[in-house]
Amino acid sequence: MEHTDLGPLRVSRVGLGCNNFGGRLDLAATRRVVEAALDAGVNLLDTADIYGNRGGSERLLGELLQGRRDRVVLATKFGGEMGDGAVGGAPAYVVQAAEASLRRLQTDHIDLLYHHFPDDATPIADTVGAVSELVAAGKVRAIGVSNVTADGLAEAAATAEIAAVQNEYSLLAREAERDLLPACLELGVGFVPYFPLASGFLTGKYRPGQAAEGSRLGTVEEGASVTRRASASFATIERLQRFAEAQGHSLLELAIAGLASRPGVASVIAGATKPDQVRANAAAGDWQLTAGQLAELDAIG
Ligand code: NAP
């Protein structure tokens, strides 16, 4: 597994999205996925305070990482609705939310703390300013922002050292390539794509008109409504699959490596519910697309 710099952190090119933990996955199932990830060389674990029915993902990770906390780069997020009425990026709440995450994660520091969603009530500069104080206090190592525009990123970066941006980006949702990825490159901020597999659509397991039982989206119809991907996406998926196969790779490998090979992308955090998935996702990161292959990919998307 290759590693890249993300601010002061060194992260695996493929990370693990942890939003299934504490919700669809209980402790035993989470343990199997996390151990498969660590064995495959994945060190970036991406969670959030709200994942797993508010706190469940962080709690399970806290339990599972006892005695091996230093093996991972632990990223979490604040600002979503935790059910206590508090929400957003107000400075006092930032401190309260971070302390609560530290308790659930059973650790004395968070490696990467993201502001999860832009907050209309608080200037982003005030929010990241509050996270900077947590960095100065040694409770946080690096600052991230998520679901931002290029302007929002610029505003945040004018106030604090921003290590990472996390926004949606997959071969079916390429808006980030327009403004945000160039802004990341200009500012030296690492881009971490979320929904890299379009919730599983880019693994090839969803086919038009066929149910995919046991999978997150259940049926294609349900999936299409959940992800707002019209069935027209299948035409793009087929083109992507043909391109991948012509290079001797699978659609899944293209979905991950096609992002990881893009300049500015630091780590691709695919979610997983089974050890085999996480092993396949980690191995997909071994493929480095050439500039020529990336240009061909641009012509498909
Ligand atoms: P994703 O990575 O696009 O898709 C993950 C799903 O794809 C898994 O739950 C699994 O579905 C399926 N899958 C994964 N690997 C597979 C494989 N090798 N073969 C077949 N199926 C496979 O979506 P995501 O997990 O929602 O997003 C990734 C991470 O991004 C999250 O875990 C979270 O950390 C982060 N995220 C951040 C935000 C934000 O606002 N910042 C928003 C969303 C997500 P099954 O359940 O069907 O097995």
Side-chain angles (χ1 to χ4, degrees):
M1 174 72 67
E2 273 189 35
H3 290 73
T4 48
D5 290 328
L6 187 58
L9 311 169
R10 192 94 183 128
V11 297
S12 49
R13 188 170 144 91
V14 177
L16 177 63
C18 299
N19 63 351
N20 291 309
F21 303 163
R24 293 176 58 215
L25 268 57
D26 63 9
L27 177 65
T30 300
R31 184 192 304 276
R32 287 193 286 274
V33 172
V34 169
E35 288 188 349
L38 297 180
D39 288 348
V42 168
N43 78 342
L44 176 61
L45 304 186
D46 184 89
T47 187
D49 55 3
I50 55 173
Y51 294 169
N53 303 319
R54 296 174 178 156
S57 176
E58 287 186 333
R59 266 188 221 100
L60 293 192
L61 287 173
E63 197 167 334
L64 291 174
L65 293 174
Q66 286 307 297
R68 49 186 171 179
R69 168 69 182 88
D70 293 344
R71 280 183 63 187
V72 300
V73 173
L74 201 44
T76 192
K77 316 183 191 77
F78 68 89
E81 177 56 70
M82 286 296 286
D84 53 5
V87 68
Y93 179 60
V94 171
V95 176
Q96 185 189 320
E99 293 290 355
S101 286
L102 285 167
R103 275 194 300 277
R104 284 187 293 266
L105 290 165
Q106 300 186 48
T107 183
D108 61 356
H109 70 283
I110 293 162
D111 294 304
L112 175 58
L113 183 61
Y114 287 98
H115 179 33
H116 206 157
F117 310 100
D119 168 18
D120 291 343
T122 316
I124 199 165
D126 292 0
T127 304
V128 296
V131 186
S132 294
E133 290 179 22
L134 293 169
V135 174
K139 293 185 175 184
V140 170
R141 288 185 65 204
I143 306 172
V145 288
S146 181
N147 296 299
V148 289
T149 60
D151 286 347
L153 169 61
E155 210 179 314
T159 302
E161 191 82 21
I162 305 297
V165 163
Q166 185 176 128
N167 269 46
E168 181 173 6
Y169 179 33
S170 73
L171 297 181
L172 289 180
R174 301 179 63 165
E175 294 80 5
E177 290 174 6
R178 203 177 319 124
D179 298 323
L180 199 53
L181 253 177
C184 285
L185 279 170
E186 195 185 315
L187 293 165
V189 173
F191 187 91
V192 178
Y194 77 68
F195 285 158
L197 303 176
S199 291
F201 267 77
L202 284 167
T203 65
K205 67 183 175 185
Y206 297 104
R207 308 299 310 158
Q210 285 174 27
E213 276 161 32
S215 292
R216 181 190 291 190
L217 303 179
T219 64
V220 169
E221 289 70 25
E222 194 186 327
S225 74
V226 170
T227 64
R228 298 188 307 280
R229 310 265 175 251
S231 53
S233 296
F234 285 116
T236 309
I237 290 172
E238 270 179 29
R239 285 198 296 278
L240 291 169
Q241 180 135 22
R242 274 200 298 275
F243 172 74
E245 283 167 5
Q247 321 295 317
H249 288 276
S250 66
L251 177 64
L252 173 80
E253 287 166 341
L254 179 63
I256 290 179
L259 304 187
S261 303
R262 186 79 51 180
V265 172
S267 182
V268 177
I269 47 164
T273 57
K274 299 175 187 76
D276 281 353
Q277 291 179 347
V278 84
R279 282 191 278 271
N281 298 348
D286 292 346
W287 180 17
Q288 173 67 44
L289 276 75
T290 63
Q293 287 171 322
L294 285 172
E296 279 187 63
L297 193 52
D298 288 346
I300 296 174

